[in-house]
Amino acid sequence: MAGPSIRIKQAGESSKSTNTSGDDSSHRLVTFLQSQSQNTLTRLYQKPSSCLSIFRLLRPLERQLVMNLLWLEMPVPAATMAAWVTREGKRPYHDALSNLARLHILPQSPVKHALNPTFKSSMRQAITGGGSSGSFGVLTENDDKHPPPDIESLDAYALERWETILYYMVSSGTGQFPTKPSQGVLYLLQRSGLMANVHGNTLQITSAGFQFLLHPPHEQLWELLLQYLQMAEERQMDLVEVLSFLLMLSATELGKDYSTENLSATQKAMLEDLRDYGLIKQRTATSRRFSPTRLATTLTSSSPPLPTSTGTGNGSQAQGFIVLETNYRLYAYTDNPLQIAVLNLFVTLKSRFPNLVVGQITRDSVKKALANGITAEQVISYLITHAHPQMRKNKPLLPVTVQDQIRLWELEKNRVKSQEGYLYTAFASQADYEYVLNYAKQLDVVLWENSSRRCFFGSVEGHANIRGFIERRSAAGNA
């Protein structure tokens, strides 16, 4: 049996065939799926929409392997498959087989390769459009009384819900009183480690929360949804139903109404949570129809989940709004409260106008960000991601002096590291010093030593053992 040669592009080669989802969030979701049991994944693969969405998350070579095997009725000998691969592609090929095996899409076998029958059947159905299972959602009939919402209103709704969550996080502990998200959202933020209780019932953003704010919206969304998935069991929700509903939403069409009648009890219970996150919109809590927003329809796509997430003004803001000069002066063309609050994490704001904020990146402002757990690379990445179109004409995009100085300020913070412990000194002889030092090294508790002065510094954890060892040695000497 002959097959096409699979050539793996080497580093440095240009290619437009990239991971559909295009960021680290897809890798985290795939890793989560790989941690599930075979029974769980086989149940998930009974839904054609789940198979198609997971297929979109795969790497290009993994997708190619699936498509090569999808329409074959008989297994392919492993030796035949291996013959399709060029010499330099052997390692990526075996990595792809391993990833597909952990997803139970392509069971690992040294003899032959064949797709999981359940996955193959559902994937074929997803491509050909056969069947009437309602796996991709059931569209409702349009009428004059309940017309479907327009895309602009859906985008505005999703943006408002999502920015309510982010603005509440960034404003916590600042004395401001922004709109409070639902209790379900607040509980999810706590369980994710993005916010924590301080001073009783007051929620405040954590170091992980500060880092979360600088992530792209797609990564932010999946970080919360993965925590939601991990909470499914304790909330007595069927994980497969939760997963299949999220994956179904990623395959729905923006601007359409879908019926709730064919949803399971678990999926109907999810509707309230998904409304709070901005993934779906319903006219009322008891409505029998829902409209997925762009946040939902792009879950497994590389398309931006919030087309206006970088600004509330004209189209130029959607491409970027930050201008940074070599003198560390920053101009942000925005009136969005969330964006201004995020900039305030690492910029000293000087002036504010109706559609412009002026600030300065200073040593103190960067040190404040570093103290909150934000890294220099995250600051630089945020500035690059949201750079104004005029800045994109520069090469490099950001002034090198500013990038280097931000990194130097981080190195300055990490230069000195404090650690509690005990200083051992005043040994009677060099032999005594080396004897105790060797014992401490065996315990792996020595943090610093100076042989010329006969002293060393040990950690708190090792103090009791070292002190006991010295006391026993002194007692034996006196005897």
Side-chain angles (χ1 to χ4, degrees):
M1 178 180 176
S5 176
I6 300 177
R7 178 176 179 269
I8 310 302
K9 285 189 176 291
Q10 301 300 304
E13 289 189 71
S14 62
S15 173
K16 294 183 180 179
S17 178
T18 56
N19 194 337
T20 307
S21 53
D23 56 36
D24 184 58
S25 55
S26 63
H27 174 71
R28 295 181 61 187
L29 176 58
V30 169
T31 301
F32 176 82
L33 291 172
Q34 289 174 340
S35 69
Q36 303 306 309
S37 66
Q38 181 176 356
N39 180 55
T40 297
L41 291 175
T42 299
R43 284 183 57 208
L44 185 64
Y45 295 155
Q46 291 173 4
K47 302 283 188 180
S49 58
S50 298
C51 293
L52 181 61
S53 296
I54 292 172
F55 176 80
R56 293 163 68 183
L57 294 171
L58 300 177
R59 297 186 178 96
L61 178 57
E62 295 160 4
R63 295 201 296 266
Q64 184 177 349
L65 291 173
V66 170
M67 292 307 297
N68 281 343
L69 297 172
L70 184 62
W71 304 102
L72 299 180
E73 301 299 336
M74 300 294 292
V76 177
T80 302
M81 284 274 286
W84 296 355
V85 188
T86 58
R87 181 181 303 173
E88 65 273 14
K90 292 291 184 183
R91 183 171 179 178
Y93 168 72
H94 289 296
D95 288 343
L97 289 180
S98 177
N99 288 334
L100 291 173
R102 289 199 294 273
L103 287 168
H104 298 285
I105 292 175
L106 182 61
Q108 204 157 20
S109 170
V111 180
K112 59 185 179 181
H113 295 306
L115 293 177
N116 179 324
T118 305
F119 180 90
K120 181 163 75 172
S121 174
S122 295
M123 188 64 186
R124 284 181 174 183
Q125 187 175 326
I127 292 175
T128 59
S132 57
S133 62
S135 170
F136 289 88
V138 177
L139 288 168
T140 58
E141 294 184 6
N142 295 332
D143 54 54
D144 296 335
K145 186 179 179 182
H146 298 293
D150 59 273
I151 294 177
E152 289 76 14
S153 67
L154 285 174
D155 283 343
Y157 172 83
L159 185 63
E160 182 270 328
R161 287 298 174 105
W162 190 246
E163 290 197 343
T164 294
I165 298 173
L166 300 185
Y167 191 60
Y168 180 81
M169 290 178 62
V170 77
S171 302
S172 63
T174 63
Q176 302 179 47
F177 299 95
T179 303
K180 196 172 185 178
S182 69
Q183 287 300 318
V185 171
L186 296 179
Y187 181 68
L188 184 64
L189 292 175
Q190 283 183 268
R191 288 297 302 268
S192 302
L194 304 178
M195 301 192 79
N197 263 320
V198 293
H199 309 303
N201 294 325
T202 305
L203 279 178
Q204 191 162 330
I205 191 170
T206 64
S207 172
F210 280 114
Q211 297 179 37
F212 173 86
L213 290 170
L214 298 189
H215 291 164
H218 209 271
E219 288 187 36
Q220 292 174 339
L221 181 58
W222 268 116
E223 188 166 342
L224 290 182
L225 290 180
L226 285 171
Q227 182 62 48
Y228 185 83
L229 291 170
Q230 291 166 0
M231 291 163 46
E233 185 176 348
E234 69 180 66
R235 299 180 65 189
Q236 298 182 338
M237 301 172 77
D238 187 336
L239 177 61
V240 173
E241 295 290 347
V242 176
L243 262 172
S244 63
F245 191 38
L246 291 175
L247 294 175
M248 183 203 84
L249 288 175
S250 72
T252 53
E253 187 176 350
L254 187 64
K256 300 290 185 180
D257 270 342
Y258 291 83
S259 172
T260 64
E261 297 299 318
N262 65 322
L263 300 181
S264 67
T266 294
Q267 293 169 345
K268 288 180 179 178
M270 291 174 62
L271 293 175
E272 180 182 355
D273 296 327
L274 298 181
R275 285 199 308 270
D276 293 337
Y277 308 151
L279 270 72
I280 65 167
K281 182 179 182 180
Q282 287 181 291
R283 291 178 179 84
T284 64
T286 57
S287 176
R288 295 183 179 179
R289 57 179 68 194
F290 66 91
S291 301
T293 68
R294 201 180 299 270
L295 280 173
T297 60
T298 58
L299 278 174
T300 57
S301 166
S302 59
S303 301
L306 294 171
T308 55
S309 61
T310 56
T312 57
N314 56 33
S316 65
Q317 285 182 319
Q319 303 171 34
F321 61 96
I322 294 174
V323 173
L324 181 63
E325 296 181 336
T326 54
N327 59 1
Y328 306 94
R329 200 166 181 82
L330 181 144
Y331 302 89
Y333 292 90
T334 181
D335 55 4
N336 187 307
L338 174 61
Q339 292 174 350
I340 296 170
V342 171
L343 284 175
N344 194 40
L345 295 176
F346 57 88
V347 177
T348 300
L349 300 181
K350 303 286 189 180
S351 308
R352 182 170 177 177
F353 303 97
N355 64 341
L356 173 67
V357 176
V358 181
Q360 189 97 10
I361 295 179
T362 65
R363 181 173 179 269
D364 289 340
S365 67
V366 172
K367 287 187 70 175
K368 181 183 71 172
L370 295 171
N372 287 327
I374 299 172
T375 66
E377 291 304 323
Q378 286 173 330
V379 171
I380 294 169
S381 175
Y382 184 86
L383 293 171
I384 291 174
T385 302
H386 298 282
H388 193 277
Q390 292 296 324
M391 289 282 293
R392 301 189 182 279
K393 298 176 182 178
N394 303 335
K395 291 186 179 181
L397 194 150
L398 295 183
V400 175
T401 52
V402 178
Q403 293 188 55
D404 290 345
Q405 187 59 65
I406 292 174
R407 293 189 178 100
L408 287 173
W409 281 327
E410 182 178 46
L411 291 174
E412 180 182 303
K413 173 183 176 291
N414 299 332
R415 184 174 56 190
V416 178
K417 182 180 180 182
S418 63
Q419 195 163 352
E420 292 186 7
Y422 291 84
L423 180 65
Y424 301 90
T425 186
F427 289 94
S429 66
Q430 185 70 19
D432 285 345
Y433 164 73
E434 292 178 355
Y435 195 68
V436 176
L437 177 64
N438 289 334
Y439 174 75
K441 285 182 176 180
Q442 290 174 7
L443 298 177
D444 195 25
V445 295
V446 177
L447 302 176
W448 173 84
E449 62 179 287
N450 189 323
S451 297
S452 61
R453 296 186 179 182
R454 293 183 190 173
C455 62
F456 70 90
F457 190 77
S459 66
V460 174
E461 294 77 14
H463 178 62
N465 288 328
I466 295 174
R467 184 178 63 183
F469 180 77
I470 293 174
E471 290 174 350
R472 290 194 301 272
R473 180 170 171 79
S474 298
N478 294 334

